[in-house]
Amino acid sequence: LIFVDDGSTDDTWRVLSELAAQDPRVAAVRLRKNSGKALAYRAGFSVAQGDVFATLDGDLQDDPVELPKLLDRLAMNDAPDVVVGWKQNRQDPMVKVWSSRVFNWMLDCVSGTTLHDQNSGFRVLRRAIVDTIPLRGDLYRMIPALAAMYGFRVVEVPVRHRARSFGESKYGRTGLRRILHGGFDLMTIAFLLRFRNRPLHFFASIGGALVVLGGCINVYLTILWLDGQSIGTRPLLALGILAMIVGVQLVSTGFLAD
């Protein structure tokens, strides 16, 4: 058991130290400050030595008794690489439940997965996934989608969910900040899924369209100018030039990214 103390300010580290001293099967890792779940995961994974990892939050909402169910699913003949705990009858505020459902639906559309609970912290996964996927920022919430992106097989298993009895949720009353951060991470996933090996295709498609648009506008204005009309004060001229400049910049960005 590897416990990661993510900069707690209570007696967490004292208790973990005592547990580690009493039982050699327990390890404790302490981060100097609160660094977020992604870095906490990375710290724990760096200490782990097995071939299969299980992750579990410390708020006791997920029941460790359900862990054998996830491990049994991992050992089945179809040999999945990630088994996600699908929380049944979630004991969370409705704003968190509904925003999570919307986020899961959006992530399913982007990643091609069909999971009910992408952000479940109760999961088992093989070491190869930890060694492969990038884990930074808030991407810990998208471990199943990232695993699927890299060709790993992801499945889910229903598990019980309990009301929170200890600690305070970092979700907030409205969840707006978390939704915004999730949206940015969703854009990252969408880009990595479709264009990580060909970024020029992404930037050039947008930049090329802008160049064509700006070129058409400027050709039209040139015809008017040759016909004797004044175009120097027309906003359309500025739009045409701007579209071509931005388009060329995007194409250049694509070259650099490639």
Side-chain angles (χ1 to χ4, degrees), residues 114-127:
T114 55
L115 300 178
H116 294 85
D117 196 359
Q118 293 269 7
N119 187 30
S120 174
F122 193 20
R123 63 177 81 87
V124 294
L125 61 162
R126 301 188 189 277
R127 171 179 285 276

Side-chain angles (χ1 to χ4, degrees), residues 230-245:
S230 175
I231 62 172
T233 58
R234 299 188 63 166
L236 196 59
L237 177 62
L239 176 62
I241 296 174
L242 180 63
M244 295 189 68
I245 292 175

Side-chain angles (χ1 to χ4, degrees), residues 5-199:
D5 177 7
D6 187 20
S8 298
T9 56
D10 53 15
D11 282 342
T12 295
W13 182 246
R14 180 185 61 79
V15 173
L16 293 181
S17 299
E18 293 176 357
L19 289 174
Q22 295 169 5
D23 194 331
R25 297 171 299 178
V26 175
V29 178
R30 188 182 195 184
L31 304 184
R32 291 186 179 90
K33 64 176 184 177
N34 181 260
S35 303
K37 207 169 183 178
L39 286 178
Y41 274 154
R42 287 170 54 185
F45 291 151
S46 68
V47 176
Q49 299 178 0
D51 295 322
V52 174
F53 300 156
T55 63
L56 183 67
D57 291 344
D59 54 19
L60 301 184
Q61 288 192 268
D62 297 311
D63 194 343
V65 174
E66 301 272 27
L67 182 57
K69 185 190 299 185
L70 275 65
L71 293 172
D72 290 343
R73 182 65 184 88
L74 192 73
M76 285 188 177
N77 293 333
D78 56 349
D81 300 293
V82 184
V83 180
V84 180
W86 171 19
K87 296 188 283 285
Q88 302 290 294
N89 300 319
R90 289 188 60 170
Q91 304 298 310
D92 285 320
M94 286 306 299
V95 62
K96 185 174 183 179
V97 173
W98 284 105
S99 61
S100 179
R101 289 177 180 175
V102 172
F103 180 76
N104 284 323
W105 174 77
M106 294 172 61
L107 192 53
D108 283 345
C109 293
V110 171
S111 65
T113 56
T114 55
L115 300 178
H116 294 85
D117 196 359
Q118 293 269 7
N119 187 30
S120 174
F122 193 20
R123 63 177 81 87
V124 294
L125 61 162
R126 301 188 189 277
R127 171 179 285 276
I129 296 172
V130 173
D131 294 339
T132 301
I133 63 174
L135 204 55
R136 59 183 183 274
D138 285 345
L139 293 184
Y140 67 87
R141 295 195 286 161
M142 304 182 185
I143 287 178
L146 287 168
M149 180 186 77
Y150 282 93
F152 294 102
R153 176 171 164 74
V154 183
V155 298
E156 63 183 357
V157 170
V159 295
R160 288 182 297 172
H161 192 243
R162 302 185 293 196
R164 185 164 189 151
S165 302
F166 302 94
E168 297 180 358
S169 173
K170 306 301 187 294
Y171 191 79
R173 293 184 177 181
T174 64
L176 181 60
R177 184 177 65 177
R178 187 174 181 181
I179 293 174
L180 289 175
H181 290 176
F184 295 144
D185 291 330
L186 196 61
M187 293 171 59
T188 301
I189 292 296
F191 183 84
L192 291 176
L193 275 170
R194 300 179 183 178
F195 301 104
R196 75 179 190 273
N197 293 323
R198 46 190 179 92

